[in-house]
Amino acid sequence: MVVELISVGTELLLGNIVNTNAQFLAEKCASLGLSMYHQVTVGDNRERLAEDINTALQRADIIILTGGLGPTEDDITKEVCAEVMGFKLVEDPHTRERIETYFKDGIYPVITENNWKQALIPEGCKVLDNHNGTAPGLILEKAGKAAILLPGPFNELKPLFLDAVSPYLQELQPEVIRSQMIKICGHGESQVADQIKDLIAAQTNPTIAPYAKTAEVHLRVTARAADDETAKSLIKPVVKEIKNRFGDDIYTTKEEETLEMAVVRLLKKYELTVTTAESCTGGLIAGRLVNVSGASEVFREGFVTYSNKAKRKILDVSKGTLKKYGAVSEQTAKEMATGGVFATDADVCIAVTGIAGPSTEGDKPVGLVYIACYMKDKVKVEEYHFKGNRDKIREQAVVKSLDLLRRSILTNYRG
Amino acid sequence: MVVELISVGTELLLGNIVNTNAQFLAEKCASLGLSMYHQVTVGDNRERLAEDINTALQRADIIILTGGLGPTEDDITKEVCAEVMGFKLVEDPHTRERIETYFKDGIYPVITENNWKQALIPEGCKVLDNHNGTAPGLILEKAGKAAILLPGPFNELKPLFLDAVSPYLQELQPEVIRSQMIKICGHGESQVADQIKDLIAAQTNPTIAPYAKTAEVHLRVTARAADDETAKSLIKPVVKEIKNRFGDDIYTTKEEETLEMAVVRLLKKYELTVTTAESCTGGLIAGRLVNVSGASEVFREGFVTYSNKAKRKILDVSKGTLKKYGAVSEQTAKEMATGGVFATDADVCIAVTGIAGPSTEGDKPVGLVYIACYMKDKVKVEEYHFKGNRDKIREQAVVKSLDLLRRSILTNYRG
């Protein structure tokens, strides 16, 4: 089954935004066993969009269109797609009601006239309720082909795809595709590839695909088979072998589990509470922990101590340490982590101090980061030299902090 | 002059990587005044690549192909493009010599046979020396059309584009393009569009394009003209009119300035320091402030008070308030903001408490968020009912918090 992706939006053609939707959808389609031969990006232009939809319908079974479902004049995806495929637009009372509910008590109480445009749907199409916006997802089926229309914003597109589109696509597929995710922290992409190059060289079914993420590598093992049991039995030995090779570097084998979810899971398991003492990451580690629903069981408070004074006052870092070694030092990181535990009633503290740039501090280079974890009366400190710009350095520091916390729990608490 | 982009590589179709090259090239082409109507992504497949090159040559004056110039079997961009455009491949002694030099003393001293493939060029084409790899850039010109071939790795593509391709394209372009960004907070996309629908309806040159961001709307006003001065003078009255209509809802007109940068700029201007007291946003407001290089002048410390106990202990929120009104209430938000200022020596505190979900708290719904700003002995509180999932609610709360801080400064300090 062949799928083609059409991203609609002049902002993509002008380079205002990176097309991360395309990567997400391509990865998901691949994991569903669909073949994708073309991705197309086109602007908010009727004629050219119609041309691209026509071409895509000729060479693919399913086309996925993203963007251009908003309420403004230049949002034309639904209108053009309906016209090309021969659908009439009619008002959907269900969607109209959802729009009314969405705006009621919302932050923008006025519903402008153009919003009702979003209640129009191609007659007879499938409507996928959007819980994060006013444009529903739509599936238009005709002559053995399907067009799937999704809103452009990622936080609307992603849940719509996972909840409604993915099951729909799965049902169309005669073969069963089963994939297993393995998420690894602590190796670069080329190192991971090197450690499993024999497995990659030998792969036919299942296949192994590596995905590089910030300070993480994800491996997806995918098998095709006539039934689910056979697919699973093809995957199992490969996953087992990868687990043997990477051991504790694997933080999860669950598709939807993020690193912070894995950390919160371990904290809960061993009944631990954690606090955070952040300098260069400025609250982002706490922010990641609070990402996890139910984090309140293990995380009660955290500190952003950006200035030296705050490090002293809140975390009791000694004046002497700051003077002798500086704010970005192993010693300061240690005292921050220790101080965090003593300032709260948490069992564990993760502390970070570093230079995110753009300017260096004295003789210390941009990218130098110390991460400390206080646990069971001991502090473990790690020194990193991250590459990249301010954002990239901070992102890597957050991932490595969560990973140090995870590894420390395993070392100290696992039987 | 119309340009079309063809990204070549099966890894893009599988979603292994994000196509950041496309964003870079699109932005650069737009700033050169080239019109881009289509971007296409295709795999390492001769037939489909040839089809896409043919189509692109029909509808564009210039096509830019990226990727597929490596030494391996599945690198076919040059071969297919030369065939489609009717060029013979010949060995280029200059490129052969550069490949020899590149490998000498390199980390891979052996030149394998397939590397010589990279010394073959379409006869008579322009060769652009690549200082960061072995595949040169190539420009093939025929019948008033040009195909520009660039290597896929960004650290090779970027300097090649800036040093050689950009000047080449500039010479072809008679027109200058100039654009001005206007970033708005406090209105939804449809409301913004509604307020300027007369301007949008009348647009020809300059054009006005709205971009919806989380709780923000960006407008880009773009003009084309024979010279820079004329383009600027076309933009000026439109920008002035938009400024008149949105006033303080506009937080910046600088392309690169983010909301947190605008906030830090204002804090610096009025010599104010800020602290944060976050519950449901869990450190993300602090994280946004620390995003700004130089934030240390205005932000020294912040608190994540996720539990009631932390709110009481760190921010001195009274037990009675928590009991009577609950943690998610106007009263608690007020006391958090007040407590934040008294717990530190900051002038201003922004405090957030809310229900990010997925579960409600008693009779309070998911999405209910109170944001308080303490400034000049007064606290302003706003109540919001955000829609969406946990992430989306938190993201909106962060933007609205930064915006409340920004507006409070304008109200209290601007002359």
Side-chain angles (χ1 to χ4, degrees):
Chain A
M1 185 110 35
V2 177
V3 62
E4 180 156 338
L5 203 60
I6 303 179
S7 307
V8 186
T10 303
E11 67 274 25
L12 290 163
L13 295 179
L14 291 173
N16 294 348
I17 54 169
V18 177
N19 195 351
T20 45
N21 285 349
Q23 186 268 331
F24 170 80
L25 292 171
E27 188 186 333
K28 293 297 167 197
C29 287
S31 76
L32 286 163
L34 297 162
S35 301
M36 187 180 286
Y37 297 142
H38 295 275
Q39 293 170 358
V40 174
T41 301
V42 63
D44 308 312
N45 175 286
R46 281 173 186 275
E47 196 183 311
R48 289 189 283 268
L49 177 55
E51 174 197 328
D52 286 346
I53 292 172
N54 264 318
T55 306
L57 284 171
Q58 279 161 38
R59 58 192 184 188
D61 305 296
I62 300 154
I63 65 174
I64 302 179
L65 293 109
T66 61
L69 298 184
T72 68
E73 282 286 309
D74 60 358
D75 292 305
I76 54 167
T77 303
K78 180 176 60 189
E79 290 76 2
V80 174
C81 194
E83 199 185 315
V84 169
M85 293 179 76
F87 283 86
K88 206 176 106 188
L89 289 179
V90 294
E91 188 169 275
D92 180 34
H94 168 74
T95 300
R96 189 179 170 99
E97 201 185 301
R98 285 186 61 86
I99 294 172
E100 269 164 2
T101 312
Y102 187 90
F103 276 92
K104 203 158 67 188
D105 309 322
I107 51 171
Y108 309 120
V110 184
I111 311 185
T112 55
E113 200 45 50
N114 54 14
N115 278 115
W116 299 122
K117 190 180 129 170
Q118 296 187 303
L120 296 175
I121 62 158
E123 196 167 20
C125 78
K126 287 192 169 70
V127 177
L128 317 174
D129 288 347
N130 177 356
H131 302 291
N132 301 291
T134 48
L138 303 166
I139 304 182
L140 289 65
E141 291 171 319
K142 195 166 238 177
K145 307 268 178 171
I148 302 170
L149 279 59
L150 296 172
F154 188 62
N155 58 359
E156 301 180 28
L157 175 142
K158 186 183 172 186
L160 266 174
F161 188 89
L162 296 177
D163 299 343
V165 179
S166 184
Y168 172 82
L169 293 172
Q170 217 138 20
E171 268 190 27
L172 297 179
Q173 272 295 88
E175 266 190 328
V176 171
I177 308 286
R178 170 71 45 190
S179 78
Q180 167 81 53
M181 181 57 98
I182 300 166
K183 301 187 181 179
I184 296 168
C185 225
H187 297 270
E189 191 188 5
S190 55
Q191 285 173 295
V192 168
D194 198 58
Q195 277 197 52
I196 54 165
K197 65 179 172 203
D198 56 322
L199 300 179
I200 288 178
Q203 69 179 359
T204 48
N205 188 19
T207 56
I208 305 169
Y211 298 90
K213 310 278 170 183
T214 300
E216 299 186 23
V217 178
H218 297 180
L219 295 175
R220 183 185 290 282
V221 181
T222 307
R224 296 163 177 266
D227 61 82
D228 209 48
E229 276 315 295
T230 315
K232 275 186 188 164
S233 69
L234 285 166
I235 286 175
K236 209 176 162 187
V238 177
V239 170
K240 196 178 162 193
E241 181 57 30
I242 294 173
K243 280 186 177 174
N244 279 343
R245 295 194 191 181
F246 291 99
D248 281 349
D249 296 337
I250 297 171
Y251 70 80
T252 194
T253 53
K254 297 194 195 92
E255 181 78 37
E256 295 301 325
E257 191 170 68
T258 60
L259 181 55
E260 57 265 34
M261 284 162 83
V263 166
V264 168
R265 169 170 52 80
L266 284 175
L267 288 166
K268 280 186 184 172
K269 181 172 176 183
Y270 297 108
E271 295 179 348
L272 299 169
T273 56
V274 65
T275 188
T276 50
E278 304 183 60
S279 189
C280 64
T281 50
L284 296 178
I285 298 172
R288 286 281 290 263
L289 289 171
V290 175
N291 260 340
V292 184
S293 152
S296 57
E297 267 184 57
V298 299
F299 177 73
R300 289 169 197 155
E301 63 211 300
F303 305 99
V304 182
T305 54
Y306 206 48
S307 70
N308 280 357
K309 198 174 156 191
K311 288 181 186 74
R312 282 173 51 204
K313 193 185 61 178
I314 299 171
L315 303 171
D316 202 29
V317 175
S318 84
K319 207 169 174 173
T321 300
L322 288 167
K323 201 169 170 189
K324 190 167 172 193
Y325 302 104
V328 180
S329 63
E330 190 183 321
Q331 291 78 5
T332 297
K334 268 190 179 172
E335 291 188 24
M336 286 172 71
T338 310
V341 164
F342 284 95
T344 64
D345 56 2
D347 303 304
V348 182
C349 179
I350 193 88
V352 184
T353 180
I355 302 163
S359 33
T360 57
E361 278 172 34
D363 55 352
K364 289 172 183 168
V366 170
L368 176 66
V369 175
Y370 292 92
I371 303 173
C373 182
Y374 181 102
M375 193 178 284
K376 274 195 170 177
D377 305 328
K378 286 192 301 272
V379 193
K380 182 162 189 205
V381 191
E382 290 181 348
E383 179 183 316
Y384 286 99
H385 294 262
F386 297 119
K387 309 282 179 194
N389 62 16
R390 191 174 171 89
D391 272 1
K392 181 95 192 187
I393 287 168
R394 287 167 8 117
E395 264 179 46
Q396 293 173 85
V398 169
V399 174
K400 289 293 182 186
S401 299
L402 291 169
D403 196 41
L404 174 60
L405 175 51
R406 184 184 70 86
R407 287 171 195 268
S408 300
I409 300 169
L410 293 180
T411 308
N412 283 289
Y413 290 92
R414 191 171 46 186
Chain B
M1 186 109 36
V2 178
V3 62
E4 180 157 337
L5 204 59
I6 302 178
S7 306
V8 186
T10 302
E11 68 276 21
L12 291 164
L13 295 180
L14 291 173
N16 294 349
I17 54 168
V18 176
N19 195 351
T20 46
N21 285 349
Q23 187 268 332
F24 170 80
L25 293 169
E27 190 186 330
K28 292 298 165 198
C29 286
S31 74
L32 286 163
L34 296 162
S35 301
M36 187 181 285
Y37 297 142
H38 294 276
Q39 294 170 358
V40 175
T41 302
V42 62
D44 308 312
N45 174 287
R46 281 173 186 274
E47 198 182 309
R48 289 190 283 268
L49 177 55
E51 174 198 327
D52 286 345
I53 292 173
N54 264 318
T55 306
L57 284 171
Q58 278 161 38
R59 59 191 183 187
D61 306 296
I62 300 154
I63 64 174
I64 303 179
L65 294 108
T66 59
L69 298 182
T72 67
E73 281 288 306
D74 60 359
D75 291 305
I76 54 168
T77 303
K78 180 176 61 188
E79 290 75 2
V80 174
C81 193
E83 198 184 315
V84 169
M85 293 181 74
F87 283 85
K88 205 176 105 186
L89 289 179
V90 294
E91 187 168 277
D92 179 35
H94 167 74
T95 300
R96 189 182 171 98
E97 202 185 301
R98 286 186 60 86
I99 292 172
E100 270 165 2
T101 312
Y102 186 90
F103 276 93
K104 206 158 64 186
D105 309 321
I107 49 170
Y108 308 118
V110 182
I111 312 184
T112 55
E113 198 46 49
N114 55 13
N115 278 114
W116 299 123
K117 190 180 129 167
Q118 296 187 301
L120 294 175
I121 61 159
E123 196 168 20
C125 78
K126 287 192 168 68
V127 176
L128 317 174
D129 288 346
N130 177 356
H131 302 291
N132 301 291
T134 49
L138 303 166
I139 303 181
L140 289 65
E141 292 170 319
K142 194 167 238 178
K145 308 267 179 174
I148 302 170
L149 280 57
L150 296 172
F154 188 63
N155 63 350
E156 301 179 31
L157 175 142
K158 187 182 172 184
L160 265 173
F161 187 90
L162 295 177
D163 299 344
V165 179
S166 184
Y168 172 82
L169 293 173
Q170 215 138 23
E171 268 189 29
L172 298 179
Q173 248 321 76
E175 267 187 326
V176 169
I177 199 154
R178 170 118 340 237
S179 78
Q180 168 80 53
M181 181 59 96
I182 300 166
K183 300 186 183 180
I184 296 168
C185 226
H187 299 270
E189 190 188 7
S190 54
Q191 286 174 299
V192 168
D194 198 57
Q195 277 197 51
I196 54 167
K197 65 181 170 203
D198 56 321
L199 301 180
I200 287 178
Q203 67 179 0
T204 47
N205 187 20
T207 56
I208 306 168
Y211 300 95
K213 310 279 171 185
T214 299
E216 299 186 23
V217 178
H218 297 180
L219 296 175
R220 183 186 289 282
V221 182
T222 307
R224 296 161 175 271
D227 59 81
D228 211 47
E229 276 315 298
T230 315
K232 276 184 188 164
S233 68
L234 285 167
I235 287 174
K236 210 176 163 187
V238 177
V239 170
K240 198 179 160 193
E241 182 55 33
I242 294 173
K243 280 186 177 172
N244 279 343
R245 296 196 190 181
F246 291 98
D248 281 350
D249 296 337
I250 296 170
Y251 70 80
T252 194
T253 53
K254 297 195 194 90
E255 179 79 38
E256 299 297 327
E257 192 169 66
T258 59
L259 180 56
E260 57 264 35
M261 284 162 81
V263 166
V264 168
R265 169 170 54 79
L266 284 175
L267 288 166
K268 279 187 184 171
K269 181 173 176 184
Y270 297 107
E271 295 180 347
L272 299 168
T273 56
V274 65
T275 188
T276 50
E278 303 183 61
S279 189
C280 66
T281 51
L284 296 178
I285 298 172
R288 286 281 289 264
L289 290 170
V290 174
N291 259 341
V292 184
S293 153
S296 56
E297 267 182 58
V298 299
F299 176 73
R300 289 169 197 154
E301 63 210 297
F303 305 99
V304 182
T305 53
Y306 207 48
S307 69
N308 280 357
K309 197 174 158 189
K311 289 181 186 73
R312 284 173 50 204
K313 194 186 62 181
I314 299 172
L315 303 171
D316 203 28
V317 175
S318 85
K319 208 170 172 170
T321 300
L322 288 167
K323 203 170 167 186
K324 191 168 172 194
Y325 303 103
V328 180
S329 63
E330 191 183 320
Q331 291 78 4
T332 297
K334 268 190 178 170
E335 291 188 25
M336 284 172 72
T338 310
V341 163
F342 284 94
T344 64
D345 56 2
D347 303 304
V348 182
C349 178
I350 192 90
V352 184
T353 180
I355 301 164
S359 33
T360 57
E361 278 174 31
D363 55 352
K364 290 174 182 167
V366 170
L368 175 66
V369 175
Y370 292 93
I371 303 174
C373 182
Y374 181 101
M375 193 178 284
K376 276 195 170 176
D377 303 329
K378 286 194 300 275
V379 194
K380 180 160 192 211
V381 191
E382 291 180 347
E383 179 183 316
Y384 287 101
H385 293 261
F386 296 120
K387 309 285 180 187
N389 61 17
R390 191 175 171 87
D391 273 0
K392 174 105 190 202
I393 288 168
R394 286 163 14 112
E395 264 179 48
Q396 292 174 89
V398 169
V399 174
K400 289 293 179 186
S401 300
L402 291 169
D403 196 41
L404 174 61
L405 176 51
R406 183 184 72 85
R407 287 171 194 268
S408 300
I409 300 170
L410 294 179
T411 308
N412 282 290
Y413 289 93
R414 192 172 44 186

